[in-house]
Amino acid sequence: MAEAGLAGELESVRVTRILRDDIIFGRRAPGSRLIERDLAAELNVSRLPVREAIRALVGEGVVVARPRTWAVVRQFTHRDIQDFAEVREAIETLMFVFAAERHDEAGIARLRAAYLAELDGATVGDGDAARAAAADFHAIAGELADNDMLSELLGVFFTRLRWLFGQHDDLLAMAEEHRVIFEAMEDRDIERVRALIPRHLALGQAVAARRLISSDYQI
């Protein structure tokens, strides 16, 4: 269902945001077709912004284009998750270490707010809110790392990171992990951050792998 766009938001950006959230939160299942004509009617837009949105989501790695036919929501495999985890561990460990070293008071306050929003969502059973805040926690840490090259690398896989958070069911456990990480970062305890992040990321990989095994769309 179409939603009101943010102030000044381009149609293509709005459509991309809607479709991205639908994929991340499972409202459009892996393997489902993305047909320009149907999406344009559903979202009350022309086919051009839909086409641009699909192209953007292909670039973000969550949609697969099929020439001369419709695009489909990507079906992630165990190999996809493993490849992502290997790259993510190196990049995000560095990201959180830099953020722990370089954050200021305003930055750590933003990180705390993201964790508290995640905890609130998890406590009341609002899965979408909890998962979105969990992704924000990682995104804010990326900003606090204050490294332009690192930010470019993070931008390549951030949508896939949000998809990974969408696989989590134990929202309170995920929030608790972020609390422990937050406290280590607030204390600038670099060695503790280095130890925590690989374990945290390994849990996310395991959760996603289990979902593939139990889901109807496994490959």
Side-chain angles (χ1 to χ4, degrees):
M1 179 181 296
E3 57 186 60
L6 303 176
E9 190 175 36
L10 295 173
E11 285 281 32
S12 59
V13 174
R14 181 176 71 89
V15 173
T16 302
R17 174 172 54 81
I18 292 170
L19 294 179
R20 181 191 296 117
D21 286 348
D22 283 351
I23 293 168
I24 288 168
F25 295 125
R27 294 189 287 265
R28 297 186 191 274
S32 60
R33 300 172 181 176
L34 299 175
I35 302 172
E36 288 182 13
R37 178 187 64 253
D38 295 347
L39 290 171
E42 176 186 341
L43 301 175
N44 195 29
V45 296
S46 70
R47 293 175 65 166
L48 179 58
V50 172
R51 187 175 305 130
E52 292 175 349
I54 289 173
R55 187 180 301 119
L57 294 173
V58 168
E60 293 176 14
V62 291
V63 168
V64 176
R66 294 183 173 171
R68 295 181 293 280
T69 184
W70 45 74
V72 297
V73 177
R74 181 172 177 176
Q75 296 176 292
F76 285 92
T77 67
H78 290 283
R79 178 59 186 268
D80 290 330
I81 293 172
Q82 179 182 341
D83 288 350
F84 179 46
E86 290 173 352
V87 174
R88 185 187 173 203
E89 179 176 335
I91 292 176
E92 285 211 78
T93 299
L94 189 62
M95 175 188 85
F96 275 100
V97 166
F98 284 167
E101 291 175 338
R102 299 172 181 176
H103 69 75
D104 57 15
E105 287 301 317
I108 204 68
R110 291 177 61 210
L111 202 64
R112 181 187 297 109
Y115 156 68
L116 291 175
E118 178 186 1
L119 180 61
D120 287 346
T123 301
V124 302
D126 186 342
D128 284 2
R131 294 180 184 105
D136 287 344
F137 185 89
H138 283 245
I140 292 166
E143 293 176 22
L144 299 183
D146 193 26
N147 182 293
D148 289 343
M149 177 60 71
L150 189 58
S151 294
E152 289 181 25
L153 294 173
L154 291 168
V156 171
F157 66 74
F158 189 65
T159 298
R160 275 169 277 194
L161 173 62
R162 291 186 65 202
W163 174 85
L164 194 67
F165 280 119
Q167 309 310 301
H168 282 269
D169 287 326
D170 194 343
L171 302 177
L172 285 171
M174 183 165 60
E176 174 62 16
E177 289 205 13
H178 283 155
R179 179 191 66 79
V180 174
I181 292 168
F182 169 77
E183 290 178 352
M185 294 177 67
E186 186 177 34
D187 293 341
R188 301 187 193 274
D189 188 342
I190 305 304
E191 292 311 309
R192 182 155 172 74
V193 170
R194 286 189 190 278
L196 287 170
I197 297 305
R199 292 200 295 268
H200 174 60
L201 302 184
L203 176 63
Q205 179 187 359
V207 169
R210 287 197 299 271
R211 284 290 292 271
L212 277 184
I213 292 171
S214 63
S215 71
D216 293 331
Y217 61 85
Q218 63 181 304
I219 298 179

